[in-house]
Amino acid sequence: MPSLIEILTQSEHFLKSKGILAARLDAELLLSQLLRYNRLSLYLHLNDNMEGHLLSQFQHMVSRRGSREPLQYIVGEVDFHGLSIAVDRNVLIPRHETEELVDIIISRFGNRPIGSILDLGTGSGAIGLALAKHFPKANVLAVDTSQNALLTAQKNAIRNRMANIRFMVSDWLENVDGIFDMIISNPPYLTDKEFENVQDEIKKFEPKCALVAKNNGLADIFKIISTTGRSLAKDGVLALETGSFQHESIASFAKNYFGKFESMDDLSGKNRFVFLQNNTKFRLPSDINDSTLPLSFN
Ligand SMILES: C[S@@+](CC[C@H](N)C(=O)[O-])C[C@H]1O[C@@H](n2cnc3c(N)ncnc32)[C@H](O)[C@@H]1O
């Protein structure tokens, strides 16, 4: 029977040959997951031998990674803001930038009496669950068009023992009733062209409908901005994660619906988050001066 160190070395070579940059780290993380060790325990057991049935399970995991499946789908979970979030191919893997959005919201609004929060396009439930944890008195509603994503999100609520969140199928706000102090969304915002250039891990394995939007990546953002007004409390805030080249177009579009627009960068210095406040009355498309609509909007 081979030792763990021998298996790790072989797996590292295999993953490198498949173009995986962090080959050693990925092999160690997969082995730690399989053996239920943390990485320190793994290092302490490197000379142990591996039993045959575990070896074949590990080879299967490494071959999945070799085909560029994201590590997080193979391991089946990610840490998001201190929560263990199960992920599968029905949901986008929550990103670090999205944790930054949650951090900003907590630092800005953490002391306010927030009673209701709406997470639009919840996917794995990451944003809604992190906010449900940090605003335990708030009622959180999390929606998505994908029934399968909502099943995963629901499991994540149970997994993290979160009772102040509920889930619903909705095409953005279509089935949503009620007024919310805060509406948050990380909607699809990539252009088709950007999607063509993403790494295989994303292109082949993550749900395209969670990533790409029409109208140069802006269609879903515009839909949300133009329809959230009627569901937002006076002084409520709409917070969005966006693409890094979209803020000018968003600012121009949003002035039809909100009095205050704020663009914020992520930690890498890219325009990434938009905060909208002071919603004017909910406007029908006929109220809007056509000249303010972007030409390509449909
Ligand atoms: C970028 S992912 C964000 C997932 C999760 N909120 C996160 O930040 O990790 C966008 C999510 O929006 C959902 N979505 C796409 N179109 C939608 C629509 N018309 N109405 C509601 N949700 C939608 C997708 O299914 C996906 O879960």
Side-chain angles (χ1 to χ4, degrees):
M1 281 187 294
S3 66
L4 300 190
I5 184 84
E6 286 165 340
I7 292 164
L8 277 177
T9 306
Q10 281 169 16
S11 306
E12 179 186 0
H13 288 148
F14 171 76
L15 291 177
K16 263 195 187 142
S17 75
K18 298 288 176 187
I20 308 286
L21 294 178
R24 178 67 181 208
L25 177 64
D26 283 11
E28 288 181 4
L29 290 171
L30 290 172
L31 195 53
S32 305
Q33 166 76 11
L34 180 67
L35 300 178
R36 305 256 171 250
Y37 285 156
N38 59 37
R39 280 184 58 222
L40 178 62
S41 310
L42 181 69
Y43 294 144
L44 295 175
H45 288 85
L46 284 178
N47 292 320
D48 291 2
N49 291 331
M50 196 170 189
E51 290 174 28
H53 73 285
L54 286 174
L55 183 56
S56 58
Q57 280 182 47
F58 183 62
Q59 282 166 337
H60 180 58
M61 291 168 102
V62 172
S63 109
R64 284 171 69 184
R65 184 69 193 104
S67 71
R68 307 300 289 259
E69 184 169 348
L71 186 84
Q72 296 89 333
Y73 285 152
I74 305 169
V75 168
E77 63 182 346
V78 291
D79 179 89
F80 185 88
H81 227 273
L83 297 172
S84 164
I85 300 290
V87 288
D88 55 48
R89 289 186 60 181
N90 295 309
V91 299
L92 189 92
I93 298 163
R95 304 295 204 264
H96 185 63
E97 296 90 303
T98 310
E99 282 187 309
E100 288 178 37
L101 174 62
V102 171
D103 280 336
I104 295 169
I105 289 168
I106 290 169
S107 73
R108 285 188 159 202
F109 305 103
N111 295 330
R112 289 206 201 165
I114 302 290
S116 51
I117 299 173
L118 173 62
D119 174 16
L120 290 172
T122 195
S124 63
I127 298 178
L129 288 165
L131 293 177
K133 182 177 149 197
H134 283 275
F135 296 94
K137 292 191 177 143
N139 292 311
V140 180
L141 173 63
V143 308
D144 207 290
T145 34
S146 161
Q147 182 88 53
N148 286 335
L150 288 171
L151 286 174
T152 301
Q154 193 118 39
K155 281 188 207 150
N156 280 324
I158 295 166
R159 186 186 178 101
N160 289 284
R161 298 196 178 88
M162 218 63 79
N164 57 331
I165 184 166
R166 66 197 168 92
F167 300 92
M168 189 171 81
V169 176
S170 180
D171 178 358
W172 299 132
L173 287 111
E174 203 163 281
N175 302 333
V176 173
D177 278 330
I179 301 291
F180 298 85
D181 295 317
M182 217 188 261
I183 300 181
I184 324 293
S185 187
N186 172 20
Y189 56 71
L190 292 187
T191 65
D192 279 311
K193 200 165 172 208
E194 284 169 333
F195 185 73
E196 279 315 302
N197 294 324
V198 298
Q199 65 207 54
D200 277 357
E201 275 83 349
I202 300 174
K203 203 188 303 179
K204 286 193 189 160
F205 292 94
E206 294 201 85
K208 186 176 178 187
C209 58
L211 289 160
V212 177
K214 291 183 182 155
N215 186 25
N216 277 327
L218 287 162
D220 290 305
I221 290 174
F222 284 179
K223 178 80 191 246
I224 290 169
I225 289 175
S226 62
T227 52
T228 41
R230 63 184 154 91
S231 304
L232 203 53
K234 188 171 174 291
D235 299 328
V237 61
L238 168 62
L240 299 169
E241 182 176 324
T242 72
S244 49
F245 300 105
Q246 296 175 327
H247 285 198
E248 216 174 294
S249 309
I250 295 173
S252 156
F253 183 76
K255 63 179 180 243
N256 293 300
Y257 303 92
F258 288 89
K260 190 173 162 203
F261 168 93
E262 190 179 357
S263 159
M264 289 190 73
D265 291 353
D266 61 22
L267 289 176
S268 71
K270 292 185 176 146
N271 280 179
R272 181 68 62 198
F273 310 116
V274 160
F275 284 79
L276 295 164
Q277 267 178 299
N278 300 340
N279 52 303
T280 54
K281 74 180 172 64
F282 175 60
R283 297 192 196 189
L284 298 169
S286 56
D287 295 329
I288 299 167
N289 175 353
D290 277 344
S291 65
T292 62
L293 288 175
L295 289 175
S296 56
F297 185 66
N298 52 36

